Amino acid sequence: MNETLPNAVLCVGMLNCDVYFRNTPKNLMRTDTSFMRDVTMLVGGDAANVSQNLAHMGITSYLAANVAGDVFGQHVCDTLEGEGVDTRFVRRDSETGTAVSLFFYDTDGKKHCGAFRGGNRSFHPDMVTDEMLKSARHMHIGSFVGQPAETLIRRAQALGLTVSADISGGSAADRDTMRRVIPLCDVFTMNEEETLELTNETDVKRASEKLREFAP
């Protein structure tokens, strides 16, 4: 770790506007109009969530992500800034729209989600400049899949940053990339489902043993 770098974290990756509908009728898709009891619009996305948590802990956090100049993009940026996240590195000129996820919780509490990838699809690690990297001592990549982040990680480490990342989903096509990049990270996180997918196993214990072959 380069102690001369600012004591801050740069979070890179997924930023969503999440809209939650609760007590959704189960026949939603078979009726013309359904009335829900409440709706909530929040900030989501792995990189944004981590940046929020860090800000709540009193740690300086920057977010590098992609949104559009629409109402969803304005909402998430205003919310993040209000919670202490520095959004100077959030690009607001995406032509693809801000990423939005709609969450419908039915009367039994079961979740159904529809997602529009928007600006997350057009975000690329090359958009993270050396100036951004030098603003922090640590870089966290939120939602690794779909981001060719190997070069970005090496660039960050060359500047003295430590690096953490998470998977957030995946597929067999991503396994080779994951196994090549995971050892580069200082910390790498995944949940049970992602662990099984990455190792092509059905048992968590066997999957954990496989991870030892290429874990940080």
Side-chain angles (χ1 to χ4, degrees), residues 141-147 149-150 153 165-168 177-178 181 188:
I141 299 177
S143 284
F144 174 83
V145 170
Q147 299 183 36
E150 182 175 356
I153 292 173
D166 66 66
I167 288 183
S168 184
T177 301
M178 295 296 172
V181 173
F188 199 92

Side-chain angles (χ1 to χ4, degrees), residues 4-191:
T4 65
L5 291 170
N7 190 24
V9 178
L10 174 65
C11 298
V12 177
M14 184 178 285
L15 168 58
N16 293 343
C17 183
D18 290 345
V19 183
Y20 293 84
F21 294 92
R22 302 191 185 278
N23 296 302
T24 305
K26 293 184 179 180
N27 64 346
L28 173 67
M29 302 303 292
R30 296 194 298 272
T31 60
D32 178 71
T33 303
S34 297
F35 295 96
M36 268 65 83
R37 296 181 184 176
D38 63 84
V39 59
T40 307
M41 189 158 67
L42 302 172
V43 175
D46 297 331
N49 290 341
V50 172
S51 71
Q52 284 179 297
N53 291 337
L54 292 170
H56 294 167
M57 295 165 62
I59 298 172
T60 300
S61 63
Y62 299 91
L63 178 61
N66 207 10
V67 298
D70 52 25
V71 63
F72 301 112
Q74 190 62 52
H75 173 76
V76 294
C77 288
D78 287 347
T79 301
L80 288 166
E81 290 165 7
E83 295 185 0
V85 177
D86 192 317
T87 63
R88 72 181 67 183
F89 301 138
V90 176
R91 298 177 73 251
R92 293 171 173 82
D93 60 349
S94 170
E95 297 179 356
T96 57
T98 300
V100 178
S101 294
L102 301 178
F103 295 92
F104 297 92
Y105 288 84
D106 64 27
T107 51
D108 293 331
K110 187 175 181 179
K111 181 181 74 173
H112 309 269
C113 177
F116 169 65
R117 292 179 62 186
N120 290 329
R121 181 187 295 274
S122 58
F123 182 81
H124 193 278
D126 288 348
M127 296 174 180
V128 181
T129 65
D130 284 354
E131 175 194 1
M132 297 180 188
L133 293 172
K134 291 176 182 178
S135 70
R137 191 176 296 175
H138 179 84
M139 178 180 69
H140 175 74
I141 299 177
S143 284
F144 174 83
V145 170
Q147 299 183 36
E150 182 175 356
T151 301
L152 175 59
I153 292 173
R154 293 187 184 278
R155 283 175 52 214
Q157 291 177 329
L159 292 171
L161 282 74
T162 51
V163 177
S164 58
D166 66 66
I167 288 183
S168 184
S171 66
D174 299 306
R175 288 180 190 140
D176 289 342
T177 301
M178 295 296 172
R179 292 177 179 179
R180 187 172 65 251
V181 173
I182 287 176
L184 300 178
C185 300
D186 297 283
V187 177
F188 199 92
T189 62
M190 65 192 80
N191 62 28

